[in-house]
Amino acid sequence: MLLRDFDYPDPGDRRTRVRTITGADWQTRSNGSGLVFHDTGLVRFVPGNDDVIEITNGPTDSDHGNLDLVMPEVCAILEG
């Protein structure tokens, strides 16, 4: 389960918005291998910037979306 939450310390001001993701953020499964990679736990982004991670907690294989870290291994597994 994935939960995305946006908090607005200053209501309506996107510059203060804080995005938080909890649960399974990224994952890939293979019929033959099961779970190939996953990022799960908590990710909180800096206020006003949904691209820069401020806090992360939990196991990550791709650092929450940096797929360059896992693509060679994932492709090799999926190719069989």
Side-chain angles (χ1 to χ4, degrees):
M1 174 190 261
L2 175 65
L3 174 66
R4 296 176 191 260
D5 182 44
F6 295 95
D7 292 316
Y8 288 85
D10 186 4
D13 186 353
R14 289 182 60 118
R15 294 173 298 168
T16 66
R17 178 175 82 174
V18 178
R19 178 180 172 207
T20 303
I21 300 172
T22 54
D25 185 16
W26 287 85
Q27 66 180 6
T28 297
R29 295 183 171 274
S30 166
N31 288 337
S33 302
L35 185 64
V36 176
F37 87 94
H38 77 291
D39 293 344
T40 188
L42 171 114
V43 182
R44 182 167 295 132
F45 296 85
V46 300
N49 189 335
D50 292 348
D51 296 322
V52 179
I53 295 173
E54 180 178 44
I55 298 169
T56 183
N57 188 1
T60 63
D61 294 323
S62 75
D63 196 25
H64 297 286
N66 184 355
L67 300 181
D68 292 335
L69 294 174
V70 296
M71 287 313 294
E73 184 177 349
V74 168
C75 289
I77 291 170
L78 294 177
E79 289 175 352

